């Protein structure tokens, strides 16, 4: 069985819940039983994500959806920290933001994100990104 883990980091509980519920409903189906299981992790901040990632027994996510606009440690710097750490840099980081100008997108690339998506995003876009990076 293939097990994939999706992490969502956003200070808005509603965003975390919406994205994780979508993943659970669309991938943990009767049709996929025994072949694919999608697990979801959620964190209200980059700090909480790193607390989890630094634990010895933590399961690394296969993809991270990361809000840019968070207090203390924003998504851009969280992304950069992930991409600079040897044990984590292989994990695709998808930045989420309401700011969608070309400058904002370029800034996301400067901080080494794999994708930059506008919030709110459609279920189709979310599913497309999951398929692209997790090959499911």
């Amino acid at each position: 069985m293939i097990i994939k883990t999706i992490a969502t980091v956003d200070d808005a509980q509603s965003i975390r819940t919406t994205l994780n519920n979508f993943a659970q409903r669309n991938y943990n189906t009767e049709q996929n039983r025994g072949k694919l299981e999608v697990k979801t992790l959620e964190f209200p901040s980059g700090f909480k994500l790193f607390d989890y990632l630094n634990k010895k027994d933590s399961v690394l996510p296969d993809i991270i959806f990361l809000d840019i606009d968070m207090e203390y440690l924003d998504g851009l710097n969280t992304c950069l920290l992930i991409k600079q750490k040897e044990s984590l840099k292989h994990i695709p980081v998808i930045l989420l933001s309401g700011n969608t100008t070309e400058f904002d997108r370029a800034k996301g690339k400067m901080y080494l994100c794999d994708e930059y998506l506008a919030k709110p995003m459609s279920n189709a876009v979310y599913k497309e990104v999951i398929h692209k990076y997790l090959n499911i």
Side-chain angles (χ1 to χ4, degrees), residues 34-129:
K35 297 182 272 184
L36 172 67
E37 180 181 355
V38 171
K39 296 183 178 189
T40 57
L41 304 169
E42 61 178 76
F43 306 94
S45 69
F47 286 119
K48 294 291 184 183
L49 171 67
F50 277 104
D51 283 348
Y52 171 81
L53 294 174
N54 287 324
K55 292 179 183 175
K56 281 185 179 182
D57 59 343
S58 68
V59 174
L60 293 181
D62 295 293
I63 190 169
I64 299 171
F65 288 88
L66 179 61
D67 181 33
I68 289 180
D69 298 318
M70 295 184 291
E71 290 186 357
Y72 310 114
L73 180 61
D74 68 12
L76 291 170
N77 285 298
T78 301
C79 180
L80 188 60
L81 290 169
I82 291 167
K83 294 300 187 175
Q84 289 177 336
K85 189 167 182 174
E86 191 64 35
S87 62
L88 303 175
K89 68 181 184 181
H90 69 281
I91 301 171
V93 176
I94 314 306
L95 291 178
L96 307 174
S97 179
N99 304 320
T100 59
T101 67
E102 286 304 312
F103 174 76
D104 294 314
R105 292 178 185 283
K107 192 172 176 184
K109 290 295 181 185
M110 287 173 41
Y111 282 80
L112 307 177
C113 76
D114 294 278
E115 294 271 344
Y116 188 105
L117 300 177
K119 278 173 50 175
M121 80 182 131
S122 70
N123 289 343
V125 169
Y126 183 62
K127 196 171 187 175
E128 180 182 312
V129 170

